[in-house]
Amino acid sequence: EAQVTQNPRYLITVTGKKLTVTCSQNMNHEYMSWYRQDPGLGLRQIYYSMNVEVTDKGDVPEGYKVSRKEKRNFPLILESPSPNQTSLYFCASSSRVNGETQYFGPGTRLLVL
Amino acid sequence: QKEVEQDPGPLSVPEGAIVSLNCTYSNSAFQYFMWYRQYSRKGPELLMYTYSSGNKEDGRFTAQVDKSSKYISLFIRDSQPSDSATYLCAMKESGYSTLTFGKGTMLLVSP
């Protein structure tokens, strides 16, 4: 089954404790993105990657890091989480040929205390 | 002015009603127009997409794009309670470019 998986689905952490949210897709897609979704603000892109070892900032990259060492994986790293990073996070992927069809993961709900 | 404007709702309608959801945008370079549906506690899923201006129909759903007015619409005929979700419009320029999303409209269809 074609899918994007994220782990963990729910996470409660404390300020400053480094965390990683994993994202994996099994569709051999070139493009992958991370979004955060907040009430009243909608979906905002954090980082995106056009292929292995190619990443770029989205609209709200501050406080986040990403890496793309393998085509299928695109982890999101919060080196020192802060309460304003409490949000619902989505990973998405799409093919180079059909970039308008983004497949979203199930989401990771993060609470930073 | 924000790049994509979408009324957040909620929009409440009775079962069987025709629903109209809309977005306006300011970037004339947008060429691809998408509608995503997001159920509660789920990720968005692509419902329909349209290239440039025109209409596209898929079952009970019709997407319309009017590039001259920078206005897109999604119509849902014979709405069902299972259509209750948040609908997000999204747009992109030609070639590889990032998607720009509207904030989403919450739709509630009551039996």
Side-chain angles (χ1 to χ4, degrees), chain A residues 31 37 40 45 90 100 102, chain B residues 36 38 43-44 49 96 98 103:
Chain A
Y31 303 145
Q37 188 174 40
Q45 191 177 55
F90 289 102
E100 63 276 4
Q102 288 212 3
Chain B
Y36 283 81
Q38 185 177 18
Y49 84 89
Y96 179 73
T98 59
K103 292 181 181 179

Side-chain angles (χ1 to χ4, degrees), chain A residues 76 78 85 98 109 113:
Chain A
L76 179 70
L78 284 71
Q85 293 178 298
N98 200 15
R109 193 168 291 276
L113 301 172

Side-chain angles (χ1 to χ4, degrees), chain B residues 97-109:
Chain B
S97 65
T98 59
L99 295 186
T100 300
F101 284 88
K103 292 181 181 179
T105 299
M106 181 184 292
L107 172 66
L108 303 170
V109 182

Side-chain angles (χ1 to χ4, degrees), chain B residues 15 25 31 45 63 65 76 79 88 103 107:
Chain B
E15 183 175 357
Y25 64 95
Q31 294 287 340
E45 57 179 344
V65 175
I76 307 175
S79 56
L88 303 108
K103 292 181 181 179
L107 172 66

